[in-house]
Amino acid sequence: MHAEIGDRLHVRGRKVGDHDRLGQVLEVRGENGAPPYLIRFEDGHEALVFPGPDCVVEHQTT
């Protein structure tokens, strides 16, 4: 997985009824765009995330 500052992390719900979560990448702490990522989610909270198979990086377009 590769991300850059400004990309969005899309975390899909794990079971029926769970909502997807979206967050913006604030920091990339791994080498060459690798995890972990500091993410600010839509509700305003921030978390250090090691993305799993339920996550997709949505790259920003210029």
Side-chain angles (χ1 to χ4, degrees):
M1 182 168 290
H2 178 271
E4 297 177 2
I5 294 172
D7 288 347
R8 291 186 349 153
L9 185 69
H10 186 155
V11 182
R12 302 201 190 280
R14 293 185 179 188
K15 59 185 178 191
V16 175
D18 282 353
H19 297 283
D20 290 358
R21 295 174 42 201
L22 296 172
Q24 182 179 15
V25 177
L26 301 177
E27 291 180 21
V28 177
R29 297 196 177 171
E31 293 184 22
N32 299 319
Y37 307 124
L38 181 62
I39 305 293
R40 179 180 298 132
F41 289 97
E42 292 179 316
D43 64 2
H45 89 275
E46 296 178 4
L48 188 61
V49 176
F50 291 83
D54 56 344
C55 298
V56 176
V57 173
E58 298 173 352
H59 300 286
Q60 61 181 338
T61 57
T62 55

